[in-house]
Amino acid sequence: MFIGRKNWGFGTLSPHGDRLITSRVSLWTPLTTSSSESSCPLPNKVDLKWATVKNIMSEEAGNVLVVYDDPSDQRSLSLDDTSSREESPDETRLSLETSHDAIPYIGQRFATHDAAYEFYSEFAKRCGFSIRRHRTEGKDGIGKGLTRRYFVCHRAGNTPVKTLTESKPQRNRKSSRCGCQAYMRISKSTELGAPEWRVTGFANHHNHDLLEPNQVRFLPAYRTISDADKSRILMFAKTGISVHQMMRLMELEKCVEPGYLPFTEKDVRNLLQTFRKLDPEEESIDLLRMCRNIKEKDPNFRFEYTLDSNNRLENIAWSYASSIQSYDIFGDAVVFDTTHRLTAFDMPLVIWVGMNNYGMPCFFGCALLREENVRSFSWALKAFLGFMNGKAPQTILTDQNMCLKEALAMEMPATKHAFCIWMIVAKFPSWFNANLGERYNEWKAEFYRLYNLESVEDFEIGWRDMVNSFGLHANRHIANLYSSRSLWALPFLRSHFFAGMTTTGQSKSINAFIQRFLSAQTRLAHFVEQVAVAIDFKDQTGEQQTMQQNLQNICLKTGAPMESHAATILTPFAFSKLQEQLVLAAHYASFPIEDGFLVRHHTKAEGGRKVYWSPREGIISCSCHQFEFSGILCRHALRVLSTGNCFQIPDRYLPLRWRRISMPSAKLPQSSPSDHAERVQLLQNMVSSLITESAKSKERLDMATEQVSILLSRIREQPISSQGVRDTSTINRNL
């Protein structure tokens, strides 16, 4: 049986058999045995001169608990310098989950105190906790050096109450400390000649749950990033990939399961933050120098900046030549995102993004601002208009920022301003989850239904019913949403063009694009280049997706001449939207009325949409305003065209921004040697369309092959100018 120093209580095995529940236990630890009848093995070679032994037995289980301590070191241990506490019987846990040869014991020797710390740390990790250095002491007066050290559980002690001051904000973070009494004490000894450290006190009882092996690795003490991993992370950061992507790549490289790296995403973000702690003033100078260098290499790169009264960088905005070209066609609808910041320099980042004809995000420009106020936003909008030769967008989507709303009214008075629905919805959990509880998802579904309605009258009635049903009369967020409904609810916005950017799918695509160059920047001076790399990567990926879309055989579903006509003109993305409406049009009936047509679903006897059509002028419009909203004709208008034996969609309802050719043909006569790359891009788009059309039948393919062969022979006969050689070599380097 076990023998040990008498203590204050007794212990029994827990029902699970893996831990010992103790009652008012002080320092329980295995010591030695007094007979050969002991059923449990002893720790390694215990030096009995360090302990006083007495028996104490459990009446319920017949097991003996023991504690040990060095009688020559009788100082009491207090793990909290300000307070102590007596633990209740059900608060303490004793871990017996490690083998005896790995458990610290009185008299155990270590060459250094660091070696003792490492041993105890490994023991703690196996048990399910971590440790920290608690206290160091000198013995027998001053000048003897360090003679005693305490290592304690990371939850030892109690957090002292902070004195609140009005001038200094306080972070209300919950402490993990709970007064745990687990510890190991080591003392310095020179009895055998060479200095060594011996264990003179040990307790392994805890007043909190211990973690499982798959959980303990998340404790800060065991989360480490090696030097090799740090170098790898820094390299990834320079390429502009997100922290989430870094983690996935490193898991694949190390062949570990997701989540089993020795560090977390938070650790990586903290590491990157240390790389960014540079002098902001020097960084600003480097950023301006970088912009000037890019401008020297590319005269079409544009940037503007302002300096404050101390001649320091205040605001800076920039745009690339490719972005300005894209804006010329796809700048009718713009997202002005002001929700991001460069945390390393605490600067708001505003980004202009749109959508191209293939349904993919396109970058227009961005700006770094010192403040988020009307003056700064007004400057950013002026700079953007300057980059785009004074051309303002038809519509602009932003966050619910009143300063930005005021700046837009001043700088872009003719532009329709609306709030991004996905930016609003992102705030719903914090606004309504606590109030609505289990009904939150039900309320959210009803909100989306109201958001997508066509009629303003239906919206007003539905909103009133929703507020009554969910008891939200006094909710300030509901009141604010209703007061600004004309800026976000689709019934109020359908007569304005938004290029489909109000959908959830497009919001995810735009956010993913922004995060690519936002999440991993390491230097402010490199940020302009990182954005350019991210855009170039996106453009290359977009070109690949475009080619894949164009090479796919489009499946005609209705057999209508309008469908096959639209398939030859629109991009696959836009055609799929039109095709959905063509399929639905077959379910509608049209009735001539005095000044147009009434179109409604064949199952309904009332209601419907009013369509006006003038065949002579080629004008058609519908009361649902879908074409004005998305640039795609609605099922109601398509039904009227079909009824009127119209075999082709009028040209004006196949807008340029949704066609396969990116650049307008009207620009060809004015093209000059300076826009050689632009003309090459136009030719690539034409070839892409040629392949798509030719692949639809054997006859078309034979004709295309014959004609292209003739054209290629004629082109090779043409002389090549020196300018053409330079342009061709430049393009080849960029491919």
Side-chain angles (χ1 to χ4, degrees):
M1 65 180 176
F2 279 123
I3 55 178
R5 180 164 58 88
K6 185 175 181 180
N7 216 303
W8 299 326
F10 60 89
T12 61
L13 288 173
S14 72
H16 304 291
D18 58 348
R19 290 189 179 132
L20 214 58
I21 309 303
T22 63
S23 183
R24 296 184 64 190
V25 180
S26 176
L27 302 176
W28 292 104
T29 21
L31 222 181
T32 184
T33 183
S34 61
S35 72
S36 59
E37 298 175 357
S38 174
S39 60
C40 298
L42 289 173
N44 294 341
K45 297 182 180 180
V46 179
D47 190 349
L48 292 179
K49 77 172 186 175
W50 296 103
T52 302
V53 181
K54 292 187 180 179
N55 292 336
I56 186 166
M57 300 186 63
S58 167
E59 298 177 359
E60 297 184 13
N63 296 317
V64 177
L65 294 180
V66 295
V67 298
Y68 55 89
D69 206 350
D70 182 359
S72 65
D73 202 350
Q74 295 297 330
R75 294 190 53 156
S76 61
L77 172 68
S78 173
L79 299 185
D80 190 341
D81 292 337
T82 60
S83 63
S84 61
R85 58 191 291 270
E86 183 178 1
E87 296 158 11
S88 60
D90 58 349
E91 285 180 328
T92 310
R93 305 283 190 279
L94 177 64
S95 173
L96 298 179
E97 296 177 355
T98 58
S99 59
H100 286 292
D101 59 353
I103 301 177
Y105 58 89
I106 293 295
Q108 187 174 7
R109 298 178 174 90
F110 298 96
T112 64
H113 56 78
D114 287 334
Y117 178 86
E118 292 299 326
F119 174 83
Y120 189 32
S121 179
E122 287 299 318
F123 166 76
K125 188 174 183 180
R126 291 191 298 271
C127 288
F129 67 102
S130 66
I131 65 170
R132 58 183 170 85
R133 293 176 174 87
H134 174 62
R135 192 169 68 222
T136 59
E137 296 177 352
K139 198 173 183 180
D140 299 329
I142 301 174
K144 298 291 184 179
L146 183 64
T147 59
R148 185 186 297 108
R149 302 207 69 162
Y150 287 90
F151 307 132
V152 299
C153 173
H154 72 288
R155 302 193 66 177
N158 293 290
T159 304
V161 179
K162 294 182 179 180
T163 303
L164 299 179
T165 58
E166 295 182 359
S167 59
K168 185 178 180 181
Q170 300 291 330
R171 290 190 296 175
N172 187 21
R173 295 190 302 176
K174 184 178 180 181
S175 173
S176 64
R177 298 192 181 188
C178 61
C180 180
Q181 295 292 313
Y183 83 105
M184 185 177 82
R185 182 180 64 236
I186 58 174
S187 299
K188 193 173 183 179
S189 173
T190 56
E191 290 186 1
L192 300 179
E196 64 178 5
W197 293 84
R198 293 187 180 185
V199 176
T200 58
F202 172 70
N204 195 36
H205 61 280
H206 301 262
N207 63 351
H208 56 89
D209 291 332
L210 300 177
L211 300 177
E212 299 298 329
N214 65 336
Q215 298 172 325
V216 70
R217 60 193 175 87
F218 291 115
L219 290 174
Y222 304 123
R223 301 203 312 257
T224 57
I225 304 179
S226 66
D227 291 339
D229 287 338
K230 288 179 180 179
S231 300
R232 193 77 173 148
I233 290 168
L234 184 57
M235 184 199 71
F236 285 145
K238 290 180 178 179
T239 65
I241 69 173
S242 68
V243 173
H244 181 75
Q245 290 171 323
M246 291 183 199
M247 298 293 287
R248 300 293 81 79
L249 286 172
M250 298 185 76
E251 286 167 353
L252 291 173
E253 291 176 352
K254 296 175 180 293
C255 299
V256 300
E257 293 294 325
Y260 275 80
L261 288 173
F263 48 84
T264 64
E265 287 192 17
K266 181 179 180 180
D267 299 324
V268 174
R269 296 184 194 280
N270 290 339
L271 176 65
L272 293 175
Q273 187 71 12
T274 62
F275 291 145
R276 300 169 189 155
K277 290 182 178 178
L278 304 167
D279 186 346
E281 188 169 347
E282 291 183 5
E283 284 288 290
S284 299
I285 295 173
D286 291 342
L287 176 60
L288 290 175
R289 185 182 296 117
M290 178 68 68
C291 288
R292 292 189 180 103
N293 291 340
I294 297 175
K295 182 72 174 178
E296 290 177 2
K297 297 176 183 177
D298 181 9
N300 292 319
F301 172 78
R302 299 182 183 181
F303 74 102
E304 294 286 345
Y305 65 94
T306 61
L307 303 176
D308 62 13
S309 57
N310 296 318
N311 207 34
R312 294 180 301 181
L313 182 65
E314 184 179 31
N315 305 308
I316 184 169
W318 68 92
S319 184
Y320 308 95
S322 60
S323 301
I324 296 170
Q325 292 175 2
S326 296
Y327 182 84
D328 193 37
I329 298 177
F330 309 118
D332 42 15
V334 174
V335 172
F336 188 42
D337 191 325
T338 59
T339 61
H340 302 286
R341 300 180 73 88
L342 290 189
T343 54
F345 300 92
D346 195 29
M347 297 183 72
L349 174 69
V350 298
I351 307 168
W352 294 280
V353 188
M355 184 193 297
N356 69 11
N357 51 341
Y358 283 85
M360 290 176 283
C362 52
F363 177 88
F364 296 143
C366 63
L368 286 168
L369 309 176
R370 182 177 295 180
E371 302 290 342
E372 291 182 278
N373 53 35
V374 175
R375 176 175 170 271
S376 296
F377 286 138
S378 180
W379 177 87
L381 293 171
K382 285 181 180 177
F384 179 71
L385 290 175
F387 298 157
M388 305 307 169
N389 304 312
K391 179 183 175 181
Q394 296 177 26
T395 58
I396 189 166
L397 291 162
T398 73
D399 192 16
Q400 294 169 288
N401 190 312
M402 293 302 108
C403 292
L404 179 55
K405 184 175 182 293
E406 184 177 342
L408 280 165
M410 292 189 299
E411 306 302 334
M412 298 181 181
T415 298
K416 174 60 180 178
H417 177 215
F419 292 153
C420 271
I421 188 62
W422 70 78
M423 296 182 187
I424 295 175
V425 172
K427 303 170 186 175
F428 280 178
S430 61
W431 284 358
F432 302 113
N433 221 335
N435 293 337
L436 294 170
E438 295 180 353
R439 301 194 68 190
Y440 171 74
N441 289 331
E442 179 188 353
W443 172 84
K444 192 173 180 181
E446 176 63 11
F447 175 86
Y448 273 119
R449 187 189 71 81
L450 297 175
Y451 166 74
N452 285 291
L453 289 175
E454 293 183 1
S455 167
V456 172
E457 292 76 16
D458 291 343
F459 176 87
E460 295 288 352
I461 296 172
W463 187 271
R464 185 169 58 251
D465 293 342
M466 179 267 291
V467 171
N468 292 332
S469 176
F470 291 89
L472 296 172
H473 302 84
N475 189 287
R476 63 184 178 89
H477 299 298
I478 286 290
N480 290 336
L481 283 172
Y482 183 72
S483 64
S484 62
R485 62 194 181 282
S486 62
L487 293 174
W488 59 264
L490 293 189
F492 300 89
L493 302 174
R494 290 193 181 276
S495 58
H496 302 277
F497 180 73
F498 287 97
M501 290 192 294
T502 57
T503 63
T504 304
Q506 290 304 322
S507 71
K508 291 180 180 179
S509 176
I510 291 173
N511 281 332
F513 171 58
I514 292 174
Q515 288 300 326
R516 173 164 182 79
F517 60 80
L518 179 70
S519 60
Q521 83 284 10
T522 55
R523 292 285 305 277
L524 182 61
H526 295 163
F527 188 62
V528 178
E529 283 187 326
Q530 286 184 225
V531 175
V533 170
I535 294 169
D536 183 60
F537 176 85
K538 190 274 300 180
D539 288 343
Q540 293 176 16
T541 305
E543 288 176 7
Q544 294 174 2
Q545 293 176 355
T546 297
M547 291 297 293
Q548 291 174 0
Q549 286 186 36
N550 288 336
L551 290 173
Q552 291 174 354
N553 290 326
I554 294 177
C555 178
L556 302 180
K557 298 180 179 180
T558 69
M562 283 190 296
E563 183 183 21
S564 58
H565 173 240
T568 64
I569 298 176
L570 300 178
T571 64
F573 170 80
F575 174 72
S576 66
K577 304 297 183 184
L578 180 68
Q579 191 178 54
E580 291 176 5
Q581 298 300 315
L582 280 166
V583 171
L584 291 172
H587 299 271
Y588 284 76
S590 64
F591 307 95
I593 56 177
E594 182 179 352
D595 55 348
F597 294 84
L598 181 66
V599 181
R600 60 171 174 247
H601 197 270
H602 73 94
T603 61
K604 296 182 179 180
E606 297 180 356
R609 295 288 177 263
K610 188 176 180 180
V611 177
Y612 170 80
W613 181 36
S614 174
R616 182 173 301 176
E617 299 175 0
I619 296 175
I620 190 167
S621 63
C622 180
S623 60
C624 76
H625 298 295
Q626 177 166 307
F627 180 78
E628 291 83 354
F629 182 69
S630 65
I632 303 295
L633 277 179
C634 64
R635 51 194 179 271
H636 315 109
L638 291 170
R639 178 59 182 171
V640 170
L641 291 176
S642 178
T643 303
N645 299 323
C646 185
F647 300 110
Q648 288 190 353
I649 296 175
D651 191 65
R652 69 173 65 189
Y653 299 107
L654 297 173
L656 177 65
R657 68 132 35 245
W658 292 134
R659 297 193 182 198
R660 292 176 185 266
I661 304 298
S662 297
M663 301 303 295
S665 57
K667 290 197 174 183
L668 287 176
Q670 288 83 27
S671 53
S672 60
S674 62
D675 59 5
H676 189 86
E678 177 182 319
R679 299 174 67 189
V680 171
Q681 177 64 47
L682 175 61
L683 179 61
Q684 288 178 342
N685 289 332
M686 295 174 67
V687 171
S688 176
S689 298
L690 175 66
I691 294 172
T692 301
E693 294 304 317
S694 302
K696 293 181 178 179
S697 69
K698 182 179 181 300
E699 292 76 17
R700 286 187 177 189
L701 192 60
D702 291 341
M703 181 188 298
T705 303
E706 179 183 354
Q707 295 298 322
V708 170
S709 298
I710 296 172
L711 178 62
L712 186 59
S713 298
R714 292 178 58 188
I715 290 173
R716 286 172 175 165
E717 294 174 359
Q718 297 297 315
I720 302 175
S721 65
S722 58
Q723 177 65 40
V725 172
R726 289 195 297 270
D727 291 335
T728 302
S729 61
T730 301
I731 291 171
N732 290 335
R733 286 197 303 270
N734 294 333
L735 291 178

